[in-house]
C-alpha cells in the first residue's frame, strides 16, 4: 500500500518549501527524506543543524510514517520563545499588552 506524506523545510526565516511524497507502507522518515532528492540540492553547510520532526515533534529517522504525516526539516531556534515573549512584554510594558491593555473607568490595574 502506498500513501502520501508532506515534506516541509525552511532553510531561511520566512521561507518554506513543501513537497508531496508518495511512500510505501513501512517507510521511515529518513527513507522518505532520501527519496525526496532534496538533500542533493543543498550544501552541507545549509543542512548543518537541521533536525527531523513529524508534525512539529522532533523524531529519529527510524520513525515509521503514517498516511498524511507532515515530515519537517526544522532549524534550531535562535531565541527561546519564552525569553522572546518576556522581552516583548518588558519592552511594551504592562499597560500596553494583553489583558491589562484596557481598563474599566475607575477600575483597578489588572481588572
Amino acid at each position: 500500500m502506498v500513501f502520501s506524506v508532506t515534506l516541509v523545510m525552511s532553510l531561511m526565516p520566512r521561507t518554506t518549501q513543501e513537497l508531496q511524497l508518495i511512500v510505501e507502507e513501512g517507510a521511515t522518515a529518513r527513507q522518505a527524506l532520501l527519496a525526496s532528492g532534496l538533500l542533493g540540492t543543498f550544501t552541507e553547510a545549509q543542512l548543518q543543524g537541521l533536525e527531523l520532526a513529524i508534525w512539529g515533534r522532533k523524531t529519529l529517522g527510524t520513525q515509521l510514517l503514517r498516511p498524511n504525516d507532515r515530515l519537517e526539516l526544522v532549524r534550531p531556534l535562535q531565541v527561546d520563545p519564552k525569553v522572546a515573549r518576556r522581552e516583548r512584554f518588558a519592552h511594551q510594558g504592562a499597560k500596553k499588552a494583553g489583558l491589562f491593555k484596557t481598563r474599566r473607568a475607575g477600575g483597578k490595574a489588572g481588572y
Side-chain angles (χ1 to χ4, degrees), residues 6-109:
T6 304
L7 173 63
V8 179
M9 62 187 301
S10 175
L11 295 179
M12 298 180 345
R14 296 181 178 88
T15 61
T16 59
Q17 293 178 338
E18 190 172 318
L19 182 66
Q20 290 291 328
L21 300 175
I22 303 297
V23 296
E24 293 191 22
E25 188 174 359
T28 64
R30 181 168 165 59
Q31 290 171 340
L33 184 61
L34 291 173
S36 71
L38 283 179
L39 294 181
T41 61
F42 298 105
T43 65
E44 188 65 33
Q46 288 175 314
L47 297 173
Q48 191 71 27
L50 294 179
E51 295 191 37
L52 277 175
I54 296 177
W55 290 105
R57 292 181 179 234
K58 290 183 184 177
T59 186
L60 299 174
T62 57
Q63 175 70 37
L64 294 178
L65 295 174
R66 294 182 295 185
N68 300 318
D69 268 349
R70 178 184 165 108
L71 180 62
E72 303 166 351
L73 274 174
V74 294
R75 292 178 284 127
L77 293 175
Q78 294 180 345
V79 177
D80 182 10
K82 291 180 183 178
V83 172
R85 182 178 181 278
R86 284 187 199 115
E87 288 177 0
R88 258 193 332 270
F89 190 78
H91 179 70
Q92 292 173 347
K95 296 183 183 199
K96 296 181 183 177
L99 295 173
F100 310 113
K101 183 176 180 182
T102 56
R103 284 194 325 196
R104 291 178 298 165
K108 296 181 182 178

